[in-house]
Amino acid sequence: MNSVEILKAINKGKHIAVMRTNEPNTFIEIAQTIIDNGLTIIEVTLTTPQALNIISKLSERDDALIGAGTVLDSVSARNAILNGAKFIVSPSFDVETAKVANLYDVPYIPGCMTVKEMVESLKYGCKLLKLFPATQFSPKSINDFKGPLPQIEIVPTGGIGKANHKAWLNAGSFAVGIGSEITKVYQEQGRAALEQYIVDLKSEV
């Protein structure tokens, strides 16, 4: 897949599971469960132990789109890409990471909070931006940012869950990132509860 196809897949999927766990096997178990139930786009945060191995293993599935998150530098971005990551996500914009992603034709999704940060990201070819942390904004912020920058697409992340994902999508979000809620359901209620959570989540879109 090239970067255009990857972005189309993210837009079609609407939900990105932004996951981190303290143990790699738990991550794999949760990831396999949500993929099997229709949430097929997963951001593996590099703060997870053995994150690159997780990316490599999950990338073996033909029915999933696996990316790397919490990418702080270009070396980490390149390593993630070489291990199968199809998109790169950072908490903030980094020029050298953008260059590496462009070189490999992989979407780079940097975290932004201001118009200035968004404009800087656009200069280096970023087509999709992460509004982070979304807890500092409301769904109407999508149109507020698109007023002066109609060409941007936004993925709000941080504080997005079952209670508010639909409001963000209806407001014009390209997709949304859902994080701790997924792992919390699994760890506190088990696999069956997580399966139902994903089914309910996808049915609301």
Side-chain angles (χ1 to χ4, degrees):
M1 298 177 75
N2 59 36
S3 59
V4 173
E5 293 169 333
I6 293 166
L7 289 174
K8 285 181 178 178
I10 292 174
N11 183 230
K12 182 179 179 181
K14 297 300 181 188
H15 301 97
I16 302 172
V18 184
M19 290 172 47
R20 58 171 55 84
T21 64
N22 294 323
E23 203 276 323
N25 288 335
T26 300
F27 193 110
I28 295 294
E29 290 171 4
I30 296 172
Q32 302 285 22
T33 298
I34 65 175
I35 293 169
D36 289 342
N37 286 275
L39 205 172
T40 59
I41 306 170
I42 299 177
E43 177 186 323
V44 183
T45 58
L46 295 190
T47 51
T48 299
Q50 299 181 36
L52 294 180
N53 289 337
I54 292 171
I55 291 170
S56 180
K57 181 174 179 57
L58 292 178
S59 293
E60 294 174 359
R61 293 193 58 150
D62 294 331
D63 57 347
L65 186 66
I66 310 301
T70 321
V71 178
L72 303 180
D73 57 74
S74 59
V75 174
S76 299
R78 183 176 183 274
N79 287 336
I81 292 168
L82 293 180
N83 277 276
K86 296 297 189 293
F87 58 93
I88 299 296
V89 185
S90 296
S92 61
F93 176 73
D94 177 70
V95 171
E96 295 306 315
T97 299
K99 291 178 180 178
V100 166
N102 287 335
L103 180 65
Y104 287 93
D105 194 24
V106 170
Y108 175 44
I109 310 170
C112 299
M113 290 184 71
T114 67
V115 170
K116 181 178 180 180
E117 292 171 339
M118 292 176 179
V119 169
E120 184 72 5
S121 301
L122 288 171
K123 289 179 181 177
Y124 288 90
C126 298
K127 307 298 184 185
L128 182 59
L129 309 179
K130 178 173 75 167
L131 186 62
F132 177 80
T135 50
Q136 303 300 308
F137 302 90
S138 70
K140 71 177 289 291
S141 301
I142 300 296
N143 280 332
D144 292 341
F145 283 116
K146 282 196 167 191
L149 298 172
Q151 71 272 43
I152 63 171
E153 296 292 353
I154 295 175
V155 176
T157 305
I160 308 292
K162 193 174 178 181
N164 62 354
H165 75 115
K166 192 173 180 180
W168 281 97
L169 289 170
N170 289 343
S173 298
F174 190 81
V176 295
I178 298 180
S180 58
E181 203 169 82
I182 291 171
T183 53
K184 185 177 181 180
V185 169
Y186 179 83
Q187 292 168 345
E188 295 183 358
Q189 302 177 49
R191 182 189 299 271
L194 178 58
E195 291 175 343
Q196 189 60 53
Y197 172 90
I198 299 303
V199 170
D200 293 342
L201 186 77
K202 301 300 287 186
S203 69
E204 292 177 357
V205 177

